[in-house]
Amino acid sequence: MIELQNKEYPSVKEMNDEQRIGIVKDIFASVTDKYDFLNRFLSGRRDVAWRKRTVSEMDFIKTYRFLDVATGTGDLALDCANTYPDVNVTGVDFVQDMVDKGIEKVSSQKLDDRVELKWGDATQIEFDDNTFDVTAIAFGIRNIPDKEKALSEMKRVIVDNGQLMVLELTTPEPGFWRNTYSFYLNGVLPKLAKWFTKNPAAYEYLADSIMNFPTRREFLMIMESVGLKNCKAIPLTFGVCTLYIGQK
Ligand SMILES: C[S@@+](CC[C@H](N)C(=O)[O-])C[C@H]1O[C@@H](n2cnc3c(N)ncnc32)[C@H](O)[C@@H]1O
C-alpha cells in the first residue's frame, strides 16, 4: 500500500480502473502548485527537451490545429504555439486546477488568441471527427486505464494522415541504465519529492506507474490495434522517455 497523506491506496497492480482514475485526479490536484518546478528539477530539465523534440516532429497539413490531451499546465500546448505561429492550439485536462494554472501561463505569454485550455476527458473528447492535424499526449497515457479508448478518441479527431503522438516515461532495456534508473525512481525520487511537496506519495505512484507501463513493443501493438499506421518509437535519453508517433 502507498500512503497518500492520511489516505492509503493500493499499488498500481492492485487498483481497479475507477480507483485509479480517482487517485490520479487527487494526485494532480494536490501537486498543481509545485508541478512545473518538480518536473524540471526531478528530470534535470530533460522534460523541456523531450517536449521540444515532440514539437519538432509535428507536421501541419490541413487544418493547422493541434490538440494537446491531458495538457496539465499547458507546457506542450505552449511549446507548439511558440514554435508554429500559424497553428491554433487546444489543450484539455480533467483536473481543473491544472487547467487554471495553464490558463495563467497562456495569458502571461500573451497567447490567448491562439491557445485555449479547458476541462476535458481523454476518453471522451468533445470535438468532431477530423478537426485537428496533430494530437499529442505527454506523460498522460500512463495514468489512463483504458489506453485504447483514449487513443481511439485521439485518432477520431485528427484528419486522415494526421499524426498522433505519445510522449511517455519508460524504462530503459534491461542492464546498467535500467538498474540505475530503477534505483533513482524507487529510492531517490520519492525522498527528493518529500522535501518539496506535501504529497510525496504522488511520486511513489509515479515510480510505480512507470515500472508498470507496457514495454515499447507492447505499446506499439496497442497503437496498431486502434488502426494507427506507420507507428514508430523514438527512445530519448537512454530510453527513460519514449516518443511514439502514429498516423491515421
Ligand atoms: C503528468 S501530467 C502531464 C501534464 C502535461 N501534459 C505535461 O507535459 O506536463 C498528467 C496529466 O494527465 C491528466 N489526465 C490523466 N487522465 C486524464 C484523462 N482521462 N483525461 C484528461 N486528463 C487526464 C492529469 O490530470 C494530469 O494533469
Side-chain angles (χ1 to χ4, degrees):
M1 298 287 266
I2 295 168
E3 283 182 26
L4 176 65
Q5 288 165 320
N6 300 326
K7 297 171 219 162
E8 284 194 344
Y9 60 95
S11 68
V12 165
K13 274 197 182 126
E14 291 161 6
M15 54 180 86
N16 65 39
D17 290 359
E18 215 174 299
Q19 268 176 312
R20 185 159 186 189
I21 291 166
I23 287 163
V24 165
K25 286 184 174 169
D26 212 28
I27 282 176
F28 287 103
S30 74
V31 299
T32 305
D33 282 345
K34 297 263 168 59
Y35 179 78
D36 287 353
F37 164 74
L38 280 169
N39 260 356
R40 309 292 181 271
F41 178 70
L42 297 172
S43 76
R45 283 190 75 80
R46 288 287 80 204
D47 68 309
V48 175
W50 295 331
R51 284 193 205 85
K52 282 212 182 320
R53 174 65 192 270
T54 306
V55 168
S56 77
E57 296 282 341
M58 291 179 181
D59 207 2
F60 292 93
I61 53 176
K62 192 170 174 194
T63 67
Y64 285 79
R65 292 188 68 182
F66 167 59
L67 176 67
D68 183 20
V69 174
T71 190
T73 60
D75 278 343
L76 189 66
L78 286 164
D79 275 1
C80 176
N82 283 312
T83 307
Y84 302 105
D86 297 340
V87 169
N88 283 300
V89 177
T90 306
V92 293
D93 197 287
F94 73 2
V95 172
Q96 189 62 44
D97 291 335
M98 295 287 271
V99 175
D100 291 343
K101 197 89 195 162
I103 291 172
E104 283 172 23
K105 287 159 68 176
V106 171
S107 293
S108 73
Q109 295 188 31
K110 303 202 173 12
L111 284 167
D112 314 68
D113 56 332
R114 277 195 305 121
V115 180
E116 184 189 20
L117 304 187
K118 56 178 172 171
W119 191 95
D121 189 330
T123 58
Q124 241 178 319
I125 297 177
E126 66 174 85
F127 296 99
D128 291 338
D129 299 1
N130 311 315
T131 302
F132 301 92
D133 279 345
V134 182
T135 184
I137 181 164
F139 315 117
I141 198 81
R142 188 173 17 94
N143 298 307
I144 300 178
D146 195 347
K147 299 184 195 335
E148 286 86 352
K149 181 79 175 53
L151 293 174
S152 300
E153 276 293 271
M154 290 172 73
K155 179 183 161 221
R156 180 182 64 75
V157 298
I158 54 172
V159 298
D160 286 344
N161 296 315
Q163 292 168 302
L164 188 159
M165 299 182 166
V166 176
L167 184 65
E168 193 47 270
L169 297 171
T170 43
T171 42
E173 298 298 323
F176 173 75
W177 285 114
R178 190 189 180 112
N179 295 341
T180 310
Y181 185 53
S182 170
F183 173 71
Y184 174 70
L185 271 185
N186 295 295
V188 181
L189 185 132
K191 290 198 176 69
L192 284 178
K194 227 171 242 172
W195 293 346
F196 298 106
T197 160
K198 300 187 293 256
N199 183 8
Y203 288 83
E204 287 175 32
Y205 166 80
L206 174 72
D208 198 23
S209 64
I210 296 169
M211 300 307 282
N212 281 290
F213 191 72
T215 63
R216 233 167 258 140
R217 210 152 58 101
E218 287 165 347
F219 194 73
L220 284 171
M221 281 167 66
I222 296 176
M223 290 177 75
E224 281 161 7
S225 77
V226 302
L228 290 162
K229 58 183 185 184
N230 301 326
C231 297
K232 61 178 177 183
I234 305 173
L236 305 169
T237 316
F238 308 111
V240 303
C241 185
T242 303
L243 171 60
Y244 298 91
I245 307 178
Q247 255 185 325
K248 177 161 166 181

